[in-house]
Amino acid sequence: MAEAGALLADVFHALGQLKLEGQSTLEINDFVERMIIDDLQARPASKGQYDFPYVLNASIDDVVCHGMPSENDVLRSGQIVNFDITLEKNGYIADSSTTYLVGEVAYPARRLVSATYNAMWKGIAAVRPGARLGDIGHAIAHYARAQGYSVVKEYCGHGIGREMHEDPQILHYGHPHTGLELKEGMVFTIEPMLNQGKAAVRSYPDQWPVYTRDGKLSAQFEHTVAVTRTGVRVLTLRPGETPPCKME
Ligand code: MG
């Protein structure tokens, strides 16, 4: 799983080097597909899963998650866009996402993106043997609300391994000292979605994208993490990435 995570981190590192402005989300999908298959000799795990035809989700501005790559969505300066990608190597899957700033982005959107990143890390910092799932959710939601943002409740993190989605569900809200106890060897994702306005989302029958109900911005970050003997290991840690908060 660490190998799959490291390869996926390389994909995000490469995405971070790209000039996103002026590219369609379909072009970016194709770039990522070629890198995963040709350069990394791995499999894009989302392609074909649930009949999904792409290797990533591209969720722009008020799209909360599950945005579809499209040649019509050419990224413009001022937008925020989340790319959510899964990769399988030697039978094991890693799952991660980053919200990128396109060109010059206004302060309110930058602040949301930064707070969402920090909220994910607050959750990661709560992971250790003996902690409970409610500790993770509480750490995320408590921080998000203190920053003036709401947490989407309809979508959550998940166990991951040979399958993309395994038990348990990892809620991004909760009460301390409640829920399943974490044990060494568990691997799951932490992937909070924070909204600028209200938490409510809207989706449409037979369509993938999920939108904020009030049309305000939403951001998301995701890492795949493993519970170690003494704490947590972030399997999809990017080259050069360091936690923005104190890890217990
Ligand atoms: Mg996930």
Side-chain angles (χ1 to χ4, degrees):
M1 295 216 61
E3 182 184 25
L7 294 180
L8 185 52
D10 286 343
V11 173
F12 282 97
H13 184 70
L15 268 183
Q17 311 286 319
L18 282 187
K19 186 178 196 304
L20 297 175
E21 186 179 347
Q23 295 212 58
S24 74
T25 53
L26 186 61
E27 288 173 314
I28 292 161
N29 174 83
D30 295 347
F31 167 84
V32 168
E33 182 166 8
R34 283 193 302 273
M35 180 174 178
I36 291 176
I37 295 172
D38 298 340
D39 300 345
L40 304 179
Q41 311 284 311
R43 188 179 79 83
S46 67
K47 193 167 179 172
Q49 174 117 347
Y50 312 118
D51 291 327
F52 187 78
Y54 300 109
V55 305
L56 54 76
N57 286 111
S59 301
I60 302 170
D61 288 345
D62 64 328
V63 179
V64 174
C65 59
H66 302 167
M68 298 290 266
S70 166
E71 61 185 350
N72 298 322
D73 286 331
V74 177
L75 294 170
R76 300 187 310 270
S77 183
Q79 290 180 319
I80 62 172
V81 58
N82 176 278
F83 293 114
D84 191 338
I85 308 171
T86 54
L87 178 154
E88 179 187 318
K89 182 74 174 180
N90 296 329
Y92 289 95
I93 299 176
D95 187 359
S96 188
S97 87
T98 285
T99 298
Y100 294 93
L101 307 176
V102 183
E104 295 295 317
V105 173
Y107 176 71
R110 280 189 280 127
R111 193 174 84 86
L112 170 70
V113 171
S114 163
T116 306
Y117 180 72
N118 292 340
M120 172 189 67
W121 274 101
K122 292 286 183 186
I124 293 171
V127 176
R128 71 184 71 87
R132 293 176 177 271
L133 286 182
D135 298 326
I136 298 173
H138 174 75
I140 291 167
H142 179 77
Y143 176 82
R145 290 185 192 123
Q147 299 297 311
Y149 299 122
S150 58
V151 176
V152 173
K153 293 195 166 175
E154 285 85 349
Y155 303 91
C156 56
H158 48 89
I160 184 167
R162 292 187 178 276
E163 302 291 334
M164 191 194 305
H165 294 131
E166 299 180 354
D167 287 336
Q169 294 195 334
I170 312 295
L171 303 183
H172 302 119
Y173 56 94
H175 298 287
H177 316 302
T178 65
L180 185 73
E181 184 177 332
L182 303 183
K183 293 191 165 56
E184 181 184 1
M186 290 179 172
V187 183
F188 51 84
T189 71
I190 296 179
E191 50 180 303
M193 284 144 268
L194 266 58
N195 290 354
Q196 205 175 30
K198 295 203 164 63
V201 301
R202 182 198 303 277
S203 59
Y204 299 93
D206 301 320
Q207 291 185 34
W208 279 93
V210 177
Y211 303 83
T212 58
R213 190 167 280 268
D214 59 16
K216 294 187 177 178
L217 299 175
S218 184
Q220 181 180 23
F221 284 86
E222 174 179 17
H223 268 314
T224 295
V225 306
V227 183
T228 63
R229 190 170 58 80
T230 55
V232 60
R233 178 172 168 190
V234 181
L235 300 181
T236 45
L237 195 72
R238 314 291 191 247
E241 182 179 17
T242 52
C245 59
K246 189 164 151 282
M247 305 292 286
E248 303 293 331

